[in-house]
Amino acid sequence: MAKQSTRLILSSLLCICFLAIAMPGYAAKENFDVWLANVKTEALTKGISQPTIDAAFANVKILERVVALDRKQPETTQTFQQYMEKRLPKSLVDAGKARLNENREVLEEVGKKYGVQPRFIVALWGVETRYGKYTGGFSVIDALTTLAYDNRRAAYFRKELFLALKILEDKHIAAADMKGSWAGAMGQSQFMPSSFVNFAVDHDEDGRTDIWTTKADVFASAANYLSKSGWKGDQTWGREVTLPKGFDLSLISLKIAKPMQEWQDLGIRKASGQSLPSRQLMGSLVQPKGGNGQTFLVYNNYRTILKWNRSTYFAMSVGQLADLIGDG
């Protein structure tokens, strides 16, 4: 009997070792209550008060839906054209023009302060949350707790969880109202807590930085993010171009940047067939995957949009929506 028990123990240990080798992200989870108690203790050492901790974790729960969404592969099945048609319908463009006009005064004020054209602020707002219509219904604390307890990206989300607690501690929002995406991105600008701490702005100076309901704060926070990430207020993002026959496709890379004249000399032209602009901006060629060879000449601001979201499709959608909105 003792031998049989020993065999079972050894077998279990071998299974755990196999999982650790075959699945690098695998690790046995500690009991959630024990884990949460450790998080609360650590939060106290980071300057979070006991009342804030109690309010944040009063009804905390693991969200299996969040785990499932985190495991889901990113968008790879849609072609570039399908993505753009879905993300940039005419209704979004029309709404963007209307929102720009409705909020023109504050947008121009923010744009001037941070050096970001209003149309790009509106475009980010539109692509991220449909101008504040879809900001996510998940409890940010529940979502971040779930992902911090999960094994896949625990260290990253644990840091975000503590920053979310800091936001609550600073009374920018109440725990019950801190809603966002399944990954913890918050408000109309969909900032992760780290982005909130680094870039969010109390533009209306009411003592709270409110990216959930105060448009002035939403616009200024987005503009501040872009500005601090290297935005050039006197440049656009890029444009669609055509390639000449026999073009060296190895030159299509964000790692390769050339002044406008060099691309012109290589036969690159605007999509209309006209010559490239004479201003000697540095540009790189990009072909979105699944784009049937559509090619874009992109500039510094395209790279800055990628710092917001590293998706080529996302950056293209923001740039094109800004072009379609126009006027600012």
Side-chain angles (χ1 to χ4, degrees):
M1 192 75 175
K3 287 183 179 180
Q4 186 174 3
S5 296
T6 302
R7 284 197 207 97
L8 286 171
I9 292 169
L10 288 171
S11 176
S12 297
L13 288 171
L14 284 170
C15 285
I16 291 171
C17 290
F18 171 77
L19 284 169
I21 294 169
M23 301 170 62
Y26 175 86
K29 288 182 185 176
E30 63 182 309
N31 176 274
F32 177 69
D33 291 336
V34 173
W35 178 88
L36 185 59
N38 289 332
V39 167
K40 292 178 179 179
T41 299
E42 187 174 347
L44 285 169
T45 69
K46 293 180 179 294
I48 309 301
S49 67
Q50 191 64 55
T52 296
I53 294 170
D54 291 343
F57 295 114
N59 299 299
V60 72
K61 52 185 173 293
I62 295 296
L63 303 176
E64 295 300 331
R65 174 65 175 155
V66 166
V67 176
L69 288 167
D70 188 50
R71 293 291 187 272
K72 188 178 180 182
Q73 292 298 311
E75 298 169 348
T76 54
T77 56
Q78 287 183 313
T79 66
F80 178 61
Q81 284 79 12
Q82 288 171 334
Y83 178 91
M84 296 300 280
E85 286 173 9
K86 182 178 180 181
R87 295 300 292 264
L88 300 184
K90 184 177 183 298
S91 59
L92 189 71
V93 177
D94 291 343
K97 292 178 178 179
R99 298 296 179 278
L100 191 151
N101 285 325
E102 290 166 9
N103 301 280
R104 185 175 295 278
E105 184 177 352
V106 67
L107 281 166
E108 290 184 351
E109 180 182 302
V110 166
K112 183 177 180 180
K113 181 175 181 178
Y114 295 100
V116 179
Q117 305 92 312
R119 69 179 183 274
F120 285 99
I121 300 171
V122 175
L124 274 167
W125 186 32
V127 170
E128 281 288 15
T129 62
R130 292 302 194 259
Y131 312 112
K133 189 175 182 179
Y134 302 106
T135 58
F138 289 91
S139 158
V140 168
I141 295 298
D142 283 0
L144 292 176
T145 297
T146 298
L147 293 167
Y149 178 62
D150 189 46
N151 288 322
R152 200 166 83 85
R153 293 185 286 169
Y156 168 73
F157 285 109
R158 190 181 181 99
K159 290 178 182 176
E160 294 292 337
L161 177 58
F162 288 128
L163 290 173
L165 292 174
K166 183 182 186 304
I167 294 166
L168 295 176
E169 180 71 19
D170 293 343
K171 302 187 184 307
H172 294 295
I173 193 167
D177 298 325
M178 187 184 256
K179 302 291 185 181
S181 75
W182 64 265
M186 309 179 299
Q188 296 189 38
S189 53
Q190 289 291 278
F191 275 8
M192 291 298 291
S194 55
S195 293
F196 184 102
V197 170
N198 290 325
F199 304 112
V201 175
D202 175 19
H203 187 75
D204 65 356
E205 299 181 343
D206 67 349
R208 293 173 55 242
T209 302
D210 178 16
I211 61 171
W212 290 268
T213 61
T214 303
K215 290 179 184 177
D217 290 2
V218 173
F219 301 154
S221 297
N224 188 43
Y225 188 115
L226 292 176
S227 178
K228 288 185 175 177
S229 299
W231 190 266
K232 305 293 184 185
D234 61 344
Q235 297 181 16
T236 187
W237 68 279
R239 55 176 36 87
E240 186 173 358
V241 295
T242 60
L243 307 179
K245 290 182 180 179
F247 185 77
D248 182 0
L249 299 183
S250 69
L251 296 176
I252 301 174
S253 170
L254 274 177
K255 296 179 181 179
I256 298 172
K258 297 178 181 293
M260 205 75 71
Q261 188 58 52
E262 287 192 29
W263 290 122
Q264 174 77 19
D265 293 343
L266 287 168
I268 303 297
R269 298 291 183 270
K270 292 180 180 179
S272 63
Q274 296 176 312
S275 294
L276 297 177
S278 58
R279 187 180 178 191
Q280 294 308 300
L281 298 179
M282 296 296 290
S284 300
L285 293 174
V286 173
Q287 278 187 349
K289 290 182 179 178
N292 295 329
Q294 262 187 291
T295 307
F296 297 84
L297 183 61
V298 298
Y299 315 128
N300 172 83
N301 288 345
Y302 173 85
R303 297 174 188 272
T304 303
I305 298 170
L306 286 177
K307 294 177 183 178
W308 182 295
N309 184 319
R310 295 184 183 279
S311 163
T312 297
Y313 284 14
F314 176 88
M316 290 285 175
S317 65
V318 171
Q320 293 202 26
L321 180 56
D323 287 348
L324 292 167
I325 291 172
D327 187 27

